Amino acid sequence: MTLDHRLVVENLSAGYGERTILDGLNLDVIPGRITSIVGANACGKSTLLRTMSRLLKPTHGQVLLDGKSVHQRPSRELAQTLGLLPQSPIAPEGITVADLVSRGRHPHHGLMSRWGARDDEAVAQALQVTKTAELMDRDVDELSGGQRQRVWIAMALAQETALLLLDEPTTFLDVSHQVEVLDLLVDLNQSRGTTIVMVLHDLNLAARYSDQLVAVQGGQLYAHGEPEAILNEAMIESVFGLRSQVMIDPVSGKPMVLPIGRHRLSLGTS
């Protein structure tokens, strides 16, 4: 069932100090869908996600959740609806996997509320689906990069929000675990109706696993739509400065990007 909370970005400008990264960007996130933000390095992808989650205050414009600015909502109220997995999160020293994942339940507890069976169930399910249950008693700082990433995703899942923002959720993962995590996010979207917005660098994975792509160039929205509609050679050259050939992925039926470099050795040319 789709959870119809609407996230809208209106004429958004944001940056760091005097440096403007986003400049007048508009975006309407479709509820109940998976949206991937793509673009070249330093184009503003992570800045957009940070501002949408209110980690970064805009210099102009606003981000609206159900018609109200995210920057004006109480923190606990916002965290019950919108979850964030930032890029390279840092765990408290000495914390176990079980304790970290359990922190995803904090927005659901006030001063007088107690931990209950629903919390146990949410944490256990998050550990199970991310295949981290066998790690629950280990310290997070003892884990490999890939294990830590799956644990952070488990914490985000335990939060059980209607919207989930993820900044490079496949970081540190080998290709099999990248696909596993993205399959997991599709399962979450289909079973709970969770709206997912994520930053991805891999265009082919973004096209395969997304209902919508948001292409950002120079802090502005270059294109927004279904992968089949916007992922083409002209867009890739404009946004990434890369010549390519776009074909149909024989597995997913979605667009698949084949970069054209200077050395095409398989063709016997250079």
Side-chain angles (χ1 to χ4, degrees), residues 98-111:
D99 287 341
L100 182 63
V101 176
S102 296
R103 292 193 175 199
R105 302 301 300 164
H106 285 186
H108 300 280
H109 292 275
L111 292 176

Side-chain angles (χ1 to χ4, degrees), residues 33-223:
R33 302 289 182 86
I34 297 177
T35 298
S36 288
I37 303 171
V38 300
N41 289 342
C43 71
K45 302 185 297 297
S46 294
T47 300
L48 174 58
L49 210 69
R50 286 172 56 83
T51 311
M52 290 169 70
S53 66
R54 92 170 197 174
L55 287 181
L56 184 64
K57 188 175 181 180
T59 55
H60 186 76
Q62 58 185 345
V63 179
L64 301 174
L65 176 59
D66 299 332
K68 184 177 179 180
S69 170
V70 299
H71 293 82
Q72 296 176 0
R73 286 179 175 267
S75 298
R76 185 179 298 275
E77 174 190 298
L78 181 66
Q80 291 175 354
T81 303
L82 188 151
L84 170 70
L85 178 61
Q87 195 175 65
S88 302
I90 300 174
E93 186 176 353
I95 193 170
T96 66
V97 168
D99 287 341
L100 182 63
V101 176
S102 296
R103 292 193 175 199
R105 302 301 300 164
H106 285 186
H108 300 280
H109 292 275
L111 292 176
M112 303 301 294
S113 62
R114 295 182 178 180
W115 189 273
R118 183 70 199 95
D119 301 304
D120 286 332
E121 181 183 350
V123 170
Q125 185 178 27
L127 290 167
Q128 180 182 5
V129 297
T130 55
K131 298 183 178 180
T132 53
E134 68 276 10
L135 304 173
M136 61 184 299
D137 295 325
R138 293 181 59 183
D139 287 350
V140 174
D141 53 15
E142 295 177 355
L143 304 179
S144 69
Q147 288 172 327
R148 281 197 300 270
Q149 189 70 355
R150 284 189 285 144
V151 168
W152 281 109
I153 292 173
M155 190 192 76
L157 297 187
Q159 194 172 336
E160 292 189 314
T161 56
L163 297 100
L164 184 57
L165 312 182
L166 304 105
D167 195 353
E168 280 296 319
T170 56
T171 298
F172 304 121
L173 301 181
D174 59 38
V175 64
S176 65
H177 285 111
Q178 289 180 37
V179 170
E180 191 173 285
V181 165
L182 293 172
D183 280 340
L184 168 64
L185 294 176
V186 172
D187 291 340
L188 180 67
N189 169 257
Q190 293 179 347
S191 63
R192 298 185 187 176
T194 306
T195 301
I196 294 174
V197 182
M198 56 185 171
V199 171
L200 286 180
H201 278 297
D202 190 312
L203 278 176
N204 290 329
L205 289 178
R208 177 179 288 193
Y209 284 95
S210 307
D211 300 301
Q212 300 279 311
L213 294 182
V214 173
V216 177
Q217 181 190 45
Q220 298 181 329
L221 183 67
Y222 179 89

Side-chain angles (χ1 to χ4, degrees), residues 248-270:
I248 299 300
D249 184 337
V251 174
S252 67
K254 297 289 189 74
M256 180 174 66
V257 179
L258 300 177
I260 299 174
R262 291 187 300 107
H263 299 285
R264 289 168 283 170
L265 302 181
S266 62
L267 300 180
T269 62
S270 60

